[in-house]
C-alpha cells in the first residue's frame, strides 16, 4: 500500500470514528438532561414532531453531502460535518486556501491543503467561541445592538461578493458560456421562432470556451418542428 | 467546483429577489450587499495589480466581507 492510500485509509477510518463519536455525544446531551432532571420527552409528541421536520433534513443532508464533498475533499468533509458552519465558514476557508496555494481539491496537495485549512478554521472558531463564552456578558449588548442586526443578516451575500469575483475572474469563460447558454434557453422558451434558437447556446452544438467544452441540451424533435 | 459554488451561494442571494415585483424592494438588499463586496474585492485586485501591493491579496476577502456587512446597515435602512 503506498503512502497516499495509507493516508486516505486513515482519513476514512478516523473520519468515521469521529463522526459517529460526535453523533453519540450530541445525543448524550438530551439523554443527560432526561436522566439528571427526570424529564422524559413526550414520545408521541416527539415522534409527530420528527415526522413533520426530519424528512426535510434528510433531503438537505443528501444534497449537502453531494454538493460539499467534491469541494472540500475527504478529510475536510469529515472535519466540516463534525464542526458545522460549512457554507458560511468552512467552504470559503477551504476554497480560499486552495486558491492561495494554487492547487485543485482533487489533487493530493489539494486534499492536504483543504484539510489543514478547515482544521485551522475549526481551531480558531473554537478559540473564538471560548473567548465569546467568557466575554458573553459584556459583549451581549454590542452583538444584540439593533443597528448591527442587518450586518449579521447579510453575511452570506457579503462573503459571496468577494469570493464570486475571485472565482468568476478565474473562470470567466465558463461563467460567460453558462450565461449565454442560459440566455439562449430563455430566448427559446420565450417563443422566439428563430432557427438559431436565440444565442448560440441552444443549437445542440458544444460551445467551446477556451479549453472547456460546455455542451448545451439539444432541442427535442417536436420543438424543432415547431420552430420551422 | 465553480458551478457547485455558484449554485450553493446564488440561490441564497437571489431567493427574495421576486419581492421587487410586488413593490417590496427588500429583496434587493442581499444583491446590493453582494455587489458592494464584489466592488471592494475588485478594488483590492486593482491595488494588487497597479501598485504591486501583494499583501492586500491576503486580506482582500475579510476586508470585502466586512465592507459588505457594513454596507448592509445603510442599504437595509434604505430599502426596507
Amino acid at each position: 500500500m503506498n503512502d497516499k492510500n495509507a493516508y486516505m485509509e486513515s482519513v476514512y477510518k478516523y473520519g468515521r470514528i469521529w463522526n459517529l463519536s460526535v453523533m453519540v455525544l450530541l445525543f448524550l446531551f438530551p439523554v443527560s438532561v432526561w436522566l439528571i432532571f427526570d424529564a422524559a420527552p413526550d414520545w408521541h409528541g416527539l415522534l409527530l414532531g420528527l415526522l413533520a421536520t426530519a424528512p426535510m433534513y434528510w433531503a438537505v443532508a443528501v444534497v449537502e453531502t453531494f454538493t460539499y464533498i467534491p469541494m472540500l475533499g475527504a478529510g475536510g468533509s469529515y472535519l466540516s460535518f463534525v464542526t458545522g458552519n460549512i457554507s458560511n465558514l468552512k467552504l470559503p476557508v477551504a476554497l480560499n486556501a486552495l486558491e492561495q496555494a494554487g492547487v485543485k481539491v482533487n489533487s493530493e496537495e489539494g486534499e492536504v491543503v483543504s484539510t489543514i485549512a478547515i482544521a485551522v478554521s475549526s481551531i480558531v472558531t473554537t478559540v473564538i467561541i471560548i473567548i465569546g463564552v467568557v466575554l458573553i456578558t459584556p459583549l451581549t449588548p454590542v452583538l444584540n445592538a439593533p443597528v448591527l442586526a442587518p450586518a449579521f443578516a447579510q453575511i452570506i451575500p457579503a462573503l459571496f461578493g468577494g469570493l464570486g469575483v475571485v472565482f468568476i475572474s478565474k473562470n470567466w469563460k465558463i461563467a460567460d458560456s453558462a450565461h449565454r447558454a442560459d440566455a439562449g434557453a430563455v430566448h427559446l422558451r420565450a417563443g422566439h421562432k428563430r432557427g438559431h434558437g436565440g444565442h448560440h447556446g441552444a443549437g445542440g452544438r458544444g460551445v467551446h470556451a477556451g479549453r472547456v467544452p460546455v455542451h448545451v441540451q439539444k432541442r427535442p424533435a417536436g420543438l424543432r418542428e415547431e420552430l420551422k | 467546483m465553480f458551478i457547485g459554488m455558484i449554485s450553493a451561494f446564488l440561490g441564497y442571494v437571489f431567493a427574495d429577489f421576486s419581492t421587487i415585483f410586488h413593490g417590496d424592494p427588500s429583496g434587493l438588499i442581499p444583491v446590493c450587499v453582494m455587489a458592494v463586496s464584489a466592488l471592494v474585492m475588485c478594488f483590492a485586485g486593482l491595488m494588487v495589480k497597479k501598485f504591486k501591493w501583494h499583501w492586500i491579496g491576503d486580506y482582500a476577502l475579510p476586508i470585502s466581507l466586512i465592507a459588505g456587512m457594513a454596507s448592509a446597515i445603510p442599504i437595509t435602512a434604505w430599502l426596507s
Side-chain angles (χ1 to χ4, degrees), chain A residues 95 150-151 157-158 160-162 165, chain B residues 5 9-10 30 34 37-38 41 69 76:
Chain A
L95 294 175
F160 179 70
V165 167
Chain B
M5 197 194 73
F9 287 105
L10 277 189
M34 186 180 74
S37 176
M41 182 58 96
M69 287 172 68
T76 304

Side-chain angles (χ1 to χ4, degrees), chain A residues 46-65:
Chain A
L46 180 67
L47 187 67
L48 285 178
L50 279 177
L51 279 176
T53 56
M56 183 177 73
Y57 289 100
W58 295 338
V60 169
V62 171
V63 169
E64 286 192 349
T65 304

Side-chain angles (χ1 to χ4, degrees), chain A residues 64-102:
Chain A
E64 286 192 349
T65 304
F66 281 98
T67 310
Y68 290 143
I69 288 177
M71 293 192 268
L72 297 171
S77 298
Y78 283 123
L79 272 174
S80 299
F81 283 109
V82 166
T83 54
N85 285 320
I86 300 179
S87 67
N88 59 348
L89 208 61
K90 303 303 187 303
L91 187 59
V93 160
L95 294 175
N96 205 38
L98 292 167
E99 177 68 27
Q100 294 287 332

Side-chain angles (χ1 to χ4, degrees), chain A residues 163-194:
Chain A
L163 268 182
V165 167
V166 174
F167 279 88
I168 289 171
S169 64
K170 291 260 174 194
N171 303 279
W172 69 271
K173 286 180 178 174
I174 299 176
D176 187 51
S177 296
H179 162 73
R180 288 177 189 215
D182 189 47
V186 170
H187 199 170
L188 195 63
R189 282 197 297 273
H192 293 263
K193 295 189 176 184
R194 294 281 298 274

